[in-house]
Structure formats: C-alpha cells, structure tokens
Amino acid sequence: MKALRVLFIASELNPLAKVGGLADVIGALPKALKKQGVDVRIMIPKYSMIDPKQYPMQRIARRIPVRLYNRTYLVNVFTTKLPGTSITVYLIDQKDFFADGGVYYSKTALVGTFKEIERFLFFGRAALESLPHLGWKPDILHCNDWHTAFIPVWLKTIYCCHHPFYASLRTLYTIHNLANQGIGDLKLLKVANVSTRALPSLERDARNNDIDLMVQGILTSDAINTVSPTYVKEILTPEYGERLDPVLKLRQRDLYGILNGIDTDVFNPSTDVHIRQRYSVKSFEQKQINKAALQQMCGFHVDPRVPVFGMVSRLTHQKGFDLLIKLRKELIKLPMQLVILGTGDATIEKALVALSKRSSRTMCIFLKFDAKLAQMIYAGSDFFLMPSRFEPCGLGQMIAMRYGTPPVVRSTGGLADTVRHLKTGVVFHDYAAKALLAALHTAIRIYHNPHVYTALAKAGMRQDLSWGSSAQVYMRLYRKLLASHS
Ligand code: GLC
C-alpha cells in the first residue's frame, strides 16, 4: 500500500512553540504515525520566539505571494526537524504577522481578538499557497482548532475548483477545545476574500452578524474529531456544546472521538533527566526521594506522612480552580500539601496567590510555565489534581499515572475515559466544592493505607498510555477519507 502523506497544520508545536496540550499532541502524534509508516510533516508559523540556534533552519521557498483582504504579502518557508526525529517541520515566515514574540498575542487568548483571528487567517491562507512549493504533496491536511479551521473553507471555494493540485486534498479537523472558537465580525470574510454566498456554511454562520471559525471547520472539513470518546458525546449536548451542539449534530455522521496519548519517551520516570531520582514500577519506593525534594523546594515541612497534591495546568475557567478557591477554609485544615504550576487568567492567579500567602507552609504556587518543574511535580507528588469543569482529553492525568502519581479528577471528557475510580485514581462526579472535598478526603485516606495506595499508583504506571493504538485509529480515518472521495 502507498504510504499516507499527512500534513499537520497547527498554531502550537512542542517543544518549539508551546502554550498548552495542543502543542503536546502536535509534537507527539506525528511521531507515532511515522513509526507506523505514515509520511507525516508539520506546519506552524515561524514565530520569532523560535530560536534558530536551537532549531537549525533552512529556507526552502521564498517570496510566495499570499493575499489577505486587499493586500499581497510575501512569505518565505523554512524547514527544521522535530527534535530527535526525522520529521520535517515547515515554518511559515512573514514578519508582519509573526515577528512580535509568542504564539498568541495575549496570555490565554486562545479565543482570539480580531487581530489574532486575522493573523491565523493569514497563516491558513499562507499554508495553502505554500503547498505547491514544498516539493512534497500531502493527501490529508490535518487541521487543529480554530486557528486552522478556515483552510477547508478556502479549499472548497477558492482552491479546489480552479487548481487541480488542490482537488485531491482531504481535510480532517481536530477539535482540541470547543470553548475557544475564534469569533469575529463579518469583516473577517473580506479579510479572507470570500463572500457569504460562496458556501451555505458561511451564509448560515453570518446570520447573527459574526463569523465563527470553529463553526466553519466543523461544517466544511471532510471529517471532524475530538480528543476523547466521552467529550465527543458531551459536546452534542447543550451543557457542553458551547452553543455549537446543533452545528455538531449536523455532522454527527462524520464526527469521531479519538483518545489522545502521551509521548512515553519524553514522559518516562526511569529516564527523566529533570527529576532528582529516577524510578520505575520495580523501584517505586525511590519516588519518595522526589517527594522530599519537592517538599523542600516548596518550603513545606519535609514529611513522608503528609500527602502532596500537585497541579500543572493552564489557570483558566475550564480547569476547576473556582472549586479549589471556594474550599480555601477547608484546605488549610486538611492534612495535605498542595503545589500548583501554571499561568493564566489574572483573577485566578490573584486568588491562588492570596491563598498560598495565607498558608505558605502547605500551599505553594509557581506562576510560570516550566517544563523541568512540571516533571518534578509529576514525579514528586503523591496525587495529581484535575477538578476540571470540562476536559476534552487532558494530558496531565496521563502523565501523572505514568509517574505513579494517582490522579484525583472530576468525571468529564477524557478524564472519565482514562482514570478509573479506586483502580488508578479517585474520581468524583458533581462539579461542586463539596464533591471535590469528599474526593480529597478519600485520597488522603487511601494514602494512609500504603498497600492500597501503592497498588493504585502501580496500576496507573502499568497502563499503555502511548499514542500507538490511537495512531492506528487516525490512520484508518485518513484512509477512509481518501477512499470515500476517490
Ligand atoms: C486542549 C484541551 C485538553 C486536551 C488538549 C490536547 O488543551 O483542553 O483537554 O488534552 O487540548 O488535545
């Protein structure tokens, strides 16, 4: 069989440009596909934060004209390799859009202001224009989240009908997070050089006087998937559908739920260079050394009898911090320590800082993203806390299990699919402070029964959390897309 050729197009890629879980997926799933024989490549913007010394680059195409609204910009394409692999990464270079720093203009604005949306519209258009200049033609364009959601719209309007090169391309659109949609006023259509009459999806979307890129991705891609089987069911309901459940229902036949994995080479307690003491299931007791180091670093009492709860998270509405903040009085009294790493919404940051100041001997917060510190928390904590309001998949709970750190999670989305109550972690149901508190009590009780606790931790470590089987599901889906249109 001919090798499948797949181009991932995304706004983030670990380790070159990371904000959240999207970057982890784009940095790991292609590796698993490659292992199974897929000719896979990745395309992202050439943000100025990507250091060419760290990631040596080569220019492969220059001065490609790309139209946006009434201007033509010139684009260069660079390539580099995904570190440690032979996977080609294409970088779209255009100073007007990608020269000023980070991945997104604002810290957590995955949602998108007009300027941000315009910027990613440009990226999508430039991706399409650059395809004939790569010397390699993909079969599938695998688009991710709203940033790349307009690509199938252009394919169906401007490109496919006039250029034979584009006619055979198929699109898969992955929703990593339905809450972030990329919504802007109708001027965006002018920016994108399409009119509402060009497609029924645009006409429908424009009725309320705005354009929602997520809606366009859903309605115009050949297939859509999200990142866990439970989340795919949840988003078809008004409770989790973020107002798009009716739109998603229109595409229900082409909508799939494929569970994310984690990069088990990167996340491996027996080879991790960032942690104090490496360990495996067999040497599980050595994990204690990491716990003591973490307690010390946080300024906690170094005491093996007190369970440490860790959180590594974007500090957003999604992640359930309001429950934690509601429990502030109870938390102080609980015989536990809590360490949090992450950045995000200013109000959440402020509330957590206030909390940690009041109880600095048992609560510690690091307001940053730091990959090394994250590993120390995964390895040094006794439990990993994820009380999410909703969770498309969640990677933290899987990384934690790989490190023998049982997760305490709310049963939603991918958390419901990956953590089993009292088998690999502690699961609670209601999105309520009371339910979280009860789960914390359960975890503390388990911790004081070393036999039960160790069994839970080791069961988590023994699971296959790699991308292997999900990569095969993606491959079947790619093949299905190609077969159904040829
Ligand atoms: C987003 C989601 C998270 C998911 C990740 C990768 O960050 O919030 O649940 O694991 O994307 O798909």
Side-chain angles (χ1 to χ4, degrees):
M1 220 188 304
K2 205 170 110 262
L4 277 164
R5 282 166 306 200
V6 179
L7 180 65
F8 277 74
I9 313 179
S11 57
E12 299 183 31
L13 168 62
N14 189 45
L16 283 75
K18 162 154 170 140
V19 176
L22 170 60
D24 293 309
V25 173
I26 308 302
L29 171 57
K31 285 193 207 168
L33 289 167
K34 178 108 191 169
K35 267 194 205 145
Q36 314 222 5
V38 179
D39 182 357
V40 57
R41 306 188 186 192
I42 303 165
M43 184 176 272
I44 60 168
K46 186 173 175 293
Y47 304 109
S48 57
M49 63 179 269
I50 304 175
D51 181 3
K53 280 200 210 95
Q54 204 176 351
Y55 307 105
M57 296 175 192
Q58 208 187 344
R59 189 169 61 195
I60 59 150
R62 56 196 304 258
R63 298 178 67 80
I64 303 167
V66 176
R67 187 129 186 98
L68 198 75
Y69 192 36
N70 54 6
R71 268 192 69 183
T72 299
Y73 299 82
L74 297 176
V75 161
N76 300 318
V77 183
F78 287 77
T79 59
T80 186
K81 294 285 178 204
L82 186 63
T85 75
S86 60
I87 296 174
T88 298
V89 179
Y90 296 106
L91 300 145
I92 297 290
D93 174 40
Q94 216 301 318
K95 301 272 173 310
D96 289 353
F97 292 98
F98 307 120
D100 51 357
V103 177
Y104 304 116
Y105 285 141
S106 90
K107 245 200 297 185
T108 54
L110 301 155
V111 187
T113 56
F114 189 88
K115 223 175 128 210
E116 189 95 77
I117 297 174
E118 195 178 31
R119 179 171 180 242
F120 283 106
L121 280 175
F122 179 80
F123 170 57
R125 190 81 196 261
L128 284 170
E129 288 292 345
S130 65
L131 287 181
H133 302 270
L134 306 179
W136 175 83
K137 189 184 164 195
D139 305 310
I140 304 276
L141 301 182
H142 188 152
C143 302
N144 294 276
D145 273 353
W146 71 260
H147 320 94
T148 51
F150 217 76
I151 289 175
V153 175
W154 283 310
L155 265 182
K156 288 214 156 81
T157 53
I158 300 179
Y159 291 86
C160 72
C161 327
H162 311 296
H163 307 269
F165 176 90
Y166 294 93
S168 62
L169 293 173
R170 299 291 162 251
T171 50
L172 174 64
Y173 178 57
T174 300
I175 301 169
H176 295 266
N177 198 334
L178 191 66
N180 307 321
Q181 299 179 2
I183 305 173
D185 68 46
L186 289 182
K187 252 193 298 179
L188 283 174
L189 290 182
K190 287 215 173 74
V191 173
N193 303 107
V194 291
S195 87
T196 43
R197 286 184 308 275
L199 279 183
S201 67
L202 294 168
E203 204 145 46
R204 180 193 164 103
D205 195 4
R207 274 182 221 147
N208 57 346
N209 283 320
D210 60 33
I211 284 294
D212 182 329
L213 267 58
M214 177 66 82
V215 168
Q216 294 309 315
I218 293 167
L219 290 178
T220 59
S221 304
D222 293 320
I224 310 110
N225 81 294
T226 185
V227 289
S228 70
T230 295
Y231 190 59
V232 85
K233 284 188 223 137
E234 287 174 343
I235 59 178
L236 291 164
T237 67
E239 193 187 347
Y240 290 94
E242 305 283 347
R243 294 171 300 102
L244 299 192
D245 41 305
V247 175
L248 284 156
K249 282 204 180 115
L250 296 173
R251 296 298 315 271
Q252 206 166 344
R253 280 189 46 207
D254 304 307
L255 178 64
Y256 301 83
I258 308 176
L259 191 67
N260 283 339
I262 53 168
D263 190 328
T264 44
D265 297 332
V266 173
F267 299 112
N268 183 353
S270 60
T271 56
D272 193 328
V273 293
H274 294 314
I275 61 179
R276 180 69 59 87
Q277 174 66 49
R278 292 179 210 152
Y279 59 97
S280 64
V281 187
K282 283 201 192 103
S283 56
F284 181 69
E285 63 297 338
Q286 304 264 9
K287 186 177 184 323
Q288 278 298 319
I289 300 172
N290 295 299
K291 171 173 176 171
L294 182 64
Q295 285 179 314
Q296 195 172 23
M297 194 183 65
C298 293
F300 296 159
H301 189 49
V302 180
D303 183 347
R305 289 165 308 175
V306 182
V308 176
F309 288 69
M311 294 180 87
V312 177
S313 177
R314 284 181 283 114
L315 306 182
T316 60
H317 174 75
Q318 172 187 344
K319 299 291 182 178
F321 286 99
D322 54 331
L323 297 187
L324 209 61
I325 292 161
K326 268 194 205 136
L327 286 181
R328 55 185 171 268
K329 289 206 186 94
E330 289 84 350
L331 270 181
I332 295 175
K333 288 186 224 140
L334 284 178
M336 60 176 268
Q337 298 165 340
L338 174 64
V339 47
I340 303 175
L341 168 66
T343 61
D345 296 347
T347 43
I348 300 179
E349 288 188 356
K350 239 173 89 186
L352 292 175
V353 167
L355 199 64
S356 71
K357 275 197 182 133
R358 267 217 308 274
S359 42
S360 63
R361 296 292 287 161
T362 54
M363 190 174 158
C364 173
I365 176 155
F366 298 95
L367 291 180
K368 57 179 175 177
F369 176 74
D370 179 332
K372 181 174 176 216
L373 189 52
Q375 300 305 96
M376 291 171 67
I377 294 175
Y378 285 120
S381 305
D382 298 304
F383 292 100
F384 190 78
L385 189 54
M386 266 178 103
S388 303
R389 185 184 299 268
F390 65 93
E391 196 60 72
C393 179
L395 302 171
Q397 82 280 12
M398 289 195 266
I399 302 171
M401 286 190 281
R402 175 101 170 120
Y403 280 76
T405 306
V408 177
V409 303
R410 177 164 173 259
S411 178
T412 182
L415 297 173
D417 292 325
T418 54
V419 184
R420 282 171 302 144
H421 187 51
L422 305 185
K423 299 259 180 352
T424 55
V426 176
V427 179
F428 67 99
H429 291 268
D430 293 348
Y431 190 78
K434 237 170 84 184
L436 170 59
L437 183 62
L440 292 175
H441 278 298
T442 305
I444 295 168
R445 240 190 348 264
I446 289 174
Y447 186 71
H448 291 295
N449 186 338
H451 186 67
V452 176
Y453 174 77
T454 310
L456 211 67
K458 287 188 176 175
M461 289 179 96
R462 287 201 188 96
Q463 296 176 107
D464 178 9
L465 301 165
S466 75
W467 272 102
S469 54
S470 293
Q472 282 179 13
V473 180
Y474 273 106
M475 282 168 70
R476 280 201 292 278
L477 184 51
Y478 296 145
R479 292 223 181 269
K480 192 167 164 191
L481 289 181
L482 289 177
S484 64
H485 286 268
S486 53

